[in-house]
Structure formats: structure tokens, C-alpha cells
Amino acid sequence: MDITRIENMKGGWFIGNFEPSVWKTDKFEAAVHDYKKGEEKEPHYHKLGTEINLLLKGKFILRNYDGKGSSQELNEGDIFIIHPNEIADPIFLEDCKIMIIKTPSIPGDKYLIK
């Protein structure tokens, strides 16, 4: 048996093709992220990776730059998928906890929108 703590991982990521990780694989990445109400994240996208997300706690708006300026309010229990080249830009309405699975695990496949 191996035991560690999420605090020993980098940014909540604990499985994937990076160090530190509890299970190194290029097939997928897994993380749990906490966000505070009003916290701002830079809009970003992945060229190759698909993110499957589960909102464990909270509520936020996910803006998506699909040419229509669409956005979606997400609530606790919602599962949402962000496909390659979709730009995600969250607005946290409450404190949130999100479980993230990204496949495949490709270091550096995150592109910020300036």
C-alpha cells in the first residue's frame, strides 16, 4: 500500500505523465481543484486533450468562445466535457471543487488566451 496526501502533489494533479504523481501514465491525468468565489483563471484551451469534469461543490459560469459568445451555468453534480480547441473561461459564483480527468496526458498541452 502507498499513501500520500494531495498537498504533496502539484496544483491538485495526482495521476498523469508528470512528477510528482501517484500513478505515472500518458493515458490520462486526474486532479481535484478548489476555486474561491470570484477567483479568476486565465482562459485556456488544449490542442489535444479532452477534459471530463465533475463539479463536486459550488456553482460557476463557464464561458465558451464558440463564436456565439455562449455560456453555461454549472451546478453541483454537473458533468461537463471540454473538447480540444474549446476555450474555457470560468466565472466562480461560489466556492467550487472540481474533479478533472484529462486524456491523454501530454505535458505542455495548455494554451493561455492573452
Side-chain angles (χ1 to χ4, degrees):
M1 177 185 304
D2 298 322
I3 300 174
T4 190
R5 297 209 27 99
I6 195 71
E7 294 88 3
N8 297 333
M9 303 295 107
K10 184 176 178 185
W13 292 98
F14 60 95
I15 297 174
N17 193 19
F18 46 78
E19 293 293 339
S21 67
V22 298
W23 190 266
K24 190 166 175 100
T25 179
D26 62 357
K27 305 292 184 221
F28 70 97
E29 300 175 357
V32 175
H33 286 174
D34 291 303
Y35 300 101
K36 297 291 182 195
K37 177 181 178 179
E39 182 176 340
E40 294 186 21
K41 298 285 296 175
E42 288 189 351
H44 72 280
Y45 66 97
H46 305 283
K47 290 182 180 178
L48 302 171
T50 298
E51 280 190 4
I52 302 99
N53 302 269
L54 168 58
L55 182 54
L56 298 168
K57 175 186 165 204
K59 180 191 315 187
F60 75 101
I61 294 172
L62 185 59
R63 293 183 286 196
N64 189 331
Y65 297 89
D66 58 4
K68 301 172 192 161
S70 68
S71 63
Q72 182 70 42
E73 182 177 294
L74 297 161
N75 296 283
E76 190 171 309
D78 284 344
I79 299 170
F80 56 101
I81 299 173
I82 302 172
H83 299 279
N85 298 305
E86 288 184 336
I87 298 170
D89 185 10
I91 302 169
F92 298 102
L93 304 174
E94 299 175 357
D95 290 352
C96 292
K97 182 180 286 287
I98 303 173
M99 173 71 186
I100 305 163
I101 306 293
K102 180 175 167 258
T103 184
S105 179
I106 301 173
D109 183 34
K110 182 176 181 177
Y111 303 88
L112 301 178
I113 304 300
K114 304 286 179 186

